[in-house]
Amino acid sequence: MKPATTLPAVRVANSSIRDPQLAASTLASQLRHEHLGCVLFFCSAEYDLVRLGPALEQAFPGVRVSGCTSAGEITAEGYDRGCITAIGFDARYFAIDCALIRELDQFSLQDAQQVIDGLLATCRDADLAPVRGNTFAITLLDGLSSREELVLATLNAALGTIPQFGGSAGDDERLANTHVFFDGRFHTGAATVMLVNTPLDFRVFSTHHMVERSEKLVVTGACAETRTVYELNAEPAAEAYARAVGVEVAALDRKIFALRPLGVKIGGHYFVRSIQRVNPDGSLTFYCAVETGIVMTAMKPDSLLDSVRTQIEASERVVGSPLVTIGCDCFLRRLEAELTGQAAAVSDFLQHHKVIGFNTYGEQFNGMHINQTFTGVVIGQPAASSGTA
């Protein structure tokens, strides 16, 4: 039985203070209470991470703190930049444990099973709710590691029926250094897995707003290790892509990539593969896995806001009024919203639906690594709660 309380089951906080010590203490002043069990945060890479790590550990003694750097933050006021946004979970409603994965390229199914078994033991010991149907996983990965597919597929096998979502850490679009946070330190080349068990209703979801065009591009030359495509339809990749989207090679930039991505059809559904850059040799480097032989389809945007509205409102019909929604939103979606004048409307929608999260370098959903997608979880209010988060 859930205890009677006037406290919400989660608290949210944010700070734009640049000094790490002051920023951490500001978050703590908003989140800390006697039943605080875990803090999940997303922060700008502009912070002094060497100082911010210990500051967060000092601000939340005895509390599990997990998070990552971002390419933009989603706060209680909607889209923001250059700040920290955080969620504090009440241990009476959430049993949460987190693990760090260091060597991503060596991560085996046995490793994954050990990680998940350890996290599940913590959830079972808390005795809040049965694992089945009451547990989800949040994954955060180094967004420049190029190991997301391997780690996610392996974790998915170990998770079984437990739903999973997450995002790849960003660094404010610098594409230089991305970090995940665990045990008081920021780590590169690593990932974290957070297992959340709760008696509250929730729904994990994923959505994108891209629709297929007629143009098909076969990858005829690629390096899967570096996610680089050298040839499309037996032509230099940049030339073939530029022709497919109707621009000159010299015009290819992140704006074109955001508005004209490519997609791969898997199981009857299209999953977006976004381009990161054009290389001097005319090849294309992607944010997601690519390999020789796959068929890519040119994509174009439909309504960005309608797609996320459909999924979040469908989730709310299942779980009721949201306590909080944790969202992982591709930074290219935000760029598109800014380019098309929709950023304010999207930001207002996220604020209204209590979304807290970050802009990512890639999204994760049930073992898949995808791009230009919004993934997340809507968590419903406690039955007896009349307050807000």
Side-chain angles (χ1 to χ4, degrees), residues 33-372:
H33 60 89
E34 61 177 319
H35 299 292
L36 180 63
C38 179
V39 172
L40 174 65
F41 76 91
F42 310 104
C43 74
S44 167
E46 295 175 8
Y47 279 90
D48 181 342
L49 302 181
V50 173
R51 293 177 57 210
L52 181 60
L56 288 168
E57 188 173 37
Q58 182 181 11
F60 296 100
V63 175
R64 169 66 76 195
V65 180
S66 182
C68 69
T69 55
S70 67
E73 299 77 53
I74 305 173
T75 75
E77 284 75 47
Y79 279 150
D80 207 341
R81 293 192 191 277
C83 69
I84 307 176
T85 185
I87 308 168
F89 297 89
D90 190 317
R92 294 170 297 175
Y93 293 92
F94 296 92
I96 300 176
D97 200 4
C98 187
L100 179 71
I101 303 169
R102 291 183 183 275
E103 298 182 6
L104 301 185
D105 55 348
Q106 302 296 321
F107 192 60
S108 68
L109 181 57
Q110 182 178 0
D111 295 331
Q113 200 64 64
Q114 289 177 348
V115 167
I116 299 304
D117 286 348
L119 300 180
L120 284 171
T122 300
C123 294
R124 290 192 179 101
D125 288 346
D127 198 26
L128 287 183
V131 167
R132 186 176 181 85
N134 297 283
T135 306
F136 61 88
I138 304 174
T139 49
L140 302 174
L141 283 84
D142 179 340
L144 300 176
S145 68
S146 299
R147 293 293 182 272
E148 290 98 330
E149 286 82 11
L150 168 67
V151 173
L152 291 170
T154 307
L155 278 173
N156 193 55
L159 285 166
T161 61
I162 295 173
Q164 168 267 327
F165 77 95
S168 299
D171 64 348
D172 299 293
E173 302 181 32
R174 295 176 185 147
L175 301 176
N177 289 290
T178 60
H179 300 77
V180 297
F181 182 85
F182 182 84
D183 268 1
R185 285 184 53 216
F186 286 89
H187 304 262
T188 59
T192 60
V193 186
M194 176 182 283
L195 206 63
V196 181
N197 176 255
T198 178
L200 304 181
D201 291 334
F202 64 82
R203 182 175 183 260
V204 175
F205 68 91
S206 178
T207 185
H208 71 78
H209 65 297
M210 294 293 169
V211 295
E212 71 272 19
R213 290 159 46 109
S214 60
E215 297 86 356
K216 303 291 183 182
L217 297 166
V218 180
V219 179
T220 50
C223 174
E225 183 74 13
T226 61
R227 297 175 173 170
T228 301
V229 174
Y230 295 97
E231 290 185 356
L232 290 168
N233 294 348
E235 298 180 63
E239 293 180 18
Y241 168 73
R243 186 183 307 111
V245 300
V247 301
E248 298 293 325
V249 172
L252 296 178
D253 59 13
R254 65 182 194 136
K255 296 178 183 179
I256 297 295
F257 301 152
L259 297 174
R260 292 290 184 266
L262 300 175
V264 176
K265 197 171 187 178
I266 303 172
H269 299 281
Y270 282 97
F271 296 90
V272 182
R273 295 287 185 266
S274 298
I275 299 169
Q276 183 182 122
R277 65 179 182 270
V278 180
N279 300 309
D281 62 358
S283 62
L284 299 172
T285 297
F286 284 72
Y287 282 104
C288 246
V290 290
E291 57 188 32
T292 302
I294 64 172
V295 178
M296 291 187 167
T297 300
M299 310 289 284
K300 63 180 179 180
D302 201 347
S303 172
L304 187 154
L305 184 53
D306 284 351
S307 67
V308 72
R309 177 188 286 117
T310 297
Q311 278 295 331
I312 289 183
E313 290 183 351
S315 300
E316 292 174 356
R317 287 193 292 272
V318 174
V319 308
S321 177
L323 177 69
V324 70
T325 294
I326 306 171
C328 302
D329 184 22
C330 182
F331 84 102
L332 291 171
R333 288 170 53 91
R334 180 165 175 172
L335 174 60
E336 179 191 331
E338 292 167 350
L339 291 172
T340 57
Q342 300 177 78
V346 175
S347 183
D348 288 346
F349 176 85
L350 298 176
Q351 177 184 5
H352 180 72
H353 289 268
K354 300 183 180 179
V355 179
I356 303 295
F358 74 116
N359 297 114
T360 75
Y361 280 174
E363 301 73 57
Q364 302 143 23
F365 182 69
N366 288 344
M368 295 191 66
H369 180 221
I370 44 189
N371 295 139
Q372 283 180 251

